[in-house]
Amino acid sequence: MMHDLTAEGWADGLGLYEDRWAFATVAPRDHAEWWFDVAAIMRGETADPRGWASLDPYEEEVDREVETFAWIEPPTHPADVARFRHSVDELPRSSATSLMVLLAIVGMDASQTWDFDERQPEMERRAQLLLSRFPVGTRF
């Protein structure tokens, strides 16, 4: 775990997703049910408490509703959460790096990705940099 993460280091880590359509931000926990915090991020209602960089594909959009996005109706009530809960599993921190790298790959297929063996160490470095912001014990 890196203890000297800076705003610049965080921004470097976000470079992992520079060519992807992705949300990547940190926001304060305002709810016991984390789904509502995620929904607030996706609706653009919250920002990084440190003011660090984030990725928001709708940042410049006035109307954030997009027909092709799975969270078109972000959870606002417990019944909404129930709709999504069945398709999400917790994973150990040790698997989070691999998942973050996979999400940065077009088509999420490393075997079909040009030069992946050479790019993998840098991608893992960036993923670990992002994860270093979260203390041991954080759930993923």
Side-chain angles (χ1 to χ4, degrees):
M1 167 108 70
M2 298 176 195
H3 297 286
D4 56 350
L5 184 63
T6 64
E8 293 77 23
W10 174 258
D12 174 45
L14 289 179
L16 182 62
Y17 303 106
E18 65 191 354
D19 295 326
R20 305 294 297 145
W21 185 90
F23 283 94
T25 191
V26 173
R29 287 294 307 270
D30 291 330
H31 302 92
E33 184 62 75
W34 62 267
W35 291 89
F36 299 128
D37 296 318
V38 170
I41 289 169
M42 303 198 73
R43 287 191 302 263
E45 298 171 352
T46 188
D48 188 307
R50 296 181 186 176
W52 289 5
S54 63
L55 297 177
D56 180 346
Y58 300 130
E59 190 170 38
E60 305 297 322
E61 301 292 326
V62 175
D63 181 8
R64 295 178 71 85
E65 188 172 313
V66 174
E67 293 177 21
T68 59
F69 191 55
W71 287 68
I72 193 164
E73 297 177 26
T76 56
H77 298 84
D80 297 334
V81 171
R83 287 186 323 200
F84 295 103
R85 183 171 281 139
H86 74 279
S87 53
V88 175
D89 292 314
E90 187 171 325
L91 59 126
R93 185 181 198 106
S94 60
S95 297
T97 299
S98 297
L99 177 60
M100 291 174 71
V101 168
L102 181 65
L103 292 172
I105 297 171
V106 175
M108 294 187 281
D109 186 348
S111 69
Q112 298 296 314
T113 301
W114 176 79
D115 231 6
F116 179 72
D117 290 338
E118 289 77 32
R119 294 175 44 219
Q120 184 178 7
E122 175 63 10
M123 294 176 82
E124 288 175 348
R125 181 194 69 79
R126 284 181 158 170
Q128 291 167 358
L129 192 61
L130 294 172
L131 288 172
S132 74
R133 184 165 177 183
F134 307 99
V136 172
T138 299
R139 297 171 60 197
F140 302 96

